[in-house]
Coordinates of all heavy atoms in Angstrom, one line a residue:
H238 N 165.2 47.7 60.6 CA 164.6 49.0 60.3 C 165.5 50.2 60.4 O 165.6 51.0 59.4 CB 163.4 49.3 61.4 CG 162.9 50.6 61.2 ND1 161.9 51.0 60.3 CD2 163.2 51.8 61.9 CE1 161.7 52.3 60.4 NE2 162.4 52.8 61.4
Y239 N 166.3 50.3 61.4 CA 167.2 51.4 61.5 C 168.4 51.3 60.6 O 168.9 52.3 60.1 CB 167.7 51.6 63.0 CG 166.6 52.2 63.8 CD1 165.8 51.4 64.6 CD2 166.4 53.6 63.8 CE1 164.8 52.0 65.4 CE2 165.4 54.2 64.6 CZ 164.6 53.4 65.3 OH 163.6 54.0 66.1
Q240 N 168.8 50.1 60.3 CA 169.8 49.9 59.3 C 169.4 50.4 57.9 O 170.2 51.0 57.2 CB 170.3 48.4 59.2 CG 171.1 48.0 60.4 CD 171.6 46.6 60.3 OE1 171.1 45.8 59.5 NE2 172.6 46.3 61.1
R241 N 168.1 50.2 57.6 CA 167.6 50.7 56.3 C 167.5 52.2 56.3 O 167.7 52.9 55.4 CB 166.3 50.0 56.0 CG 166.4 48.7 55.2 CD 165.1 48.4 54.5 NE 164.0 48.4 55.5 CZ 163.7 47.4 56.3 NH1 164.4 46.3 56.4 NH2 162.7 47.5 57.2
R242 N 167.1 52.6 57.5 CA 166.7 54.0 57.6 C 167.9 55.0 57.6 O 167.9 55.9 56.8 CB 166.0 54.2 59.0 CG 165.9 55.7 59.3 CD 165.2 55.9 60.6 NE 165.1 57.3 60.7 CZ 164.3 58.0 61.5 NH1 163.4 57.3 62.2 NH2 164.4 59.3 61.6
F243 N 169.0 54.6 58.3 CA 170.1 55.6 58.4 C 171.1 55.2 57.2 O 171.9 54.4 57.3 CB 170.8 55.5 59.7 CG 170.0 55.9 60.9 CD1 169.8 55.2 62.0 CD2 169.4 57.2 60.8 CE1 169.0 55.6 63.0 CE2 168.6 57.7 61.9 CZ 168.4 56.9 63.0
R244 N 170.9 56.0 56.2 CA 171.7 55.8 55.0 C 173.1 56.4 55.2 O 174.1 55.9 54.7 CB 171.1 56.5 53.8 CG 169.7 56.2 53.5 CD 169.5 54.9 52.9 NE 170.4 54.8 51.7 CZ 170.5 53.7 51.0 NH1 169.7 52.7 51.3 NH2 171.3 53.6 50.0
H245 N 173.1 57.4 56.0 CA 174.4 58.1 56.3 C 174.6 58.3 57.7 O 173.8 58.9 58.4 CB 174.4 59.4 55.5 CG 174.5 59.3 54.1 ND1 175.7 59.1 53.4 CD2 173.5 59.2 53.1 CE1 175.5 59.0 52.1 NE2 174.2 59.0 51.9
I246 N 175.7 57.7 58.2 CA 176.1 57.9 59.6 C 177.4 58.7 59.7 O 178.4 58.3 59.0 CB 176.3 56.5 60.3 CG1 174.9 55.8 60.2 CG2 176.8 56.6 61.7 CD1 174.9 54.3 60.7
L247 N 177.4 59.7 60.5 CA 178.6 60.6 60.5 C 179.0 60.8 62.0 O 178.1 61.1 62.8 CB 178.4 61.9 59.9 CG 177.8 61.8 58.4 CD1 176.3 62.0 58.4 CD2 178.5 62.9 57.6
I248 N 180.2 60.6 62.3 CA 180.7 60.7 63.7 C 181.8 61.6 63.8 O 182.9 61.4 63.2 CB 181.1 59.3 64.3 CG1 180.0 58.3 64.0 CG2 181.4 59.3 65.8 CD1 180.6 57.0 63.4
D249 N 181.6 62.7 64.6 CA 182.7 63.6 64.9 C 183.5 63.2 66.1 O 182.9 62.4 67.0 CB 182.1 65.0 65.1 CG 183.1 66.1 64.9 OD1 184.2 65.8 64.5 OD2 182.7 67.3 65.1
E250 N 184.7 63.6 66.3 CA 185.5 63.3 67.5 C 185.6 61.8 67.7 O 185.5 61.3 68.8 CB 185.0 64.0 68.7 CG 184.7 65.5 68.6 CD 186.0 66.3 68.8 OE1 187.1 65.7 69.0 OE2 185.9 67.5 68.8
F251 N 185.8 61.1 66.6 CA 185.8 59.6 66.6 C 186.9 59.0 67.5 O 186.7 57.9 68.1 CB 185.9 59.0 65.2 CG 185.7 57.6 65.1 CD1 184.4 57.1 65.2 CD2 186.7 56.7 65.0 CE1 184.2 55.7 65.1 CE2 186.5 55.3 64.9 CZ 185.3 54.8 64.9
Q252 N 188.0 59.8 67.7 CA 189.1 59.3 68.5 C 188.7 59.1 70.0 O 189.4 58.3 70.7 CB 190.3 60.2 68.4 CG 190.2 61.5 69.2 CD 189.3 62.6 68.5 OE1 188.9 62.4 67.4 NE2 189.1 63.7 69.2
D253 N 187.6 59.7 70.4 CA 187.2 59.5 71.8 C 186.0 58.6 72.0 O 185.3 58.7 73.0 CB 186.9 60.9 72.4 CG 188.2 61.5 72.9 OD1 189.1 60.7 73.4 OD2 188.4 62.7 72.9

Side-chain angles (χ1 to χ4, degrees):
H238 170 80
Y239 283 97
Q240 284 184 343
R241 272 197 308 278
R242 170 179 177 158
F243 295 127
R244 312 280 313 175
H245 290 275
I246 298 177
L247 307 96
I248 309 132
D249 201 3
E250 307 276 4
F251 189 76
Q252 75 279 357
D253 276 326

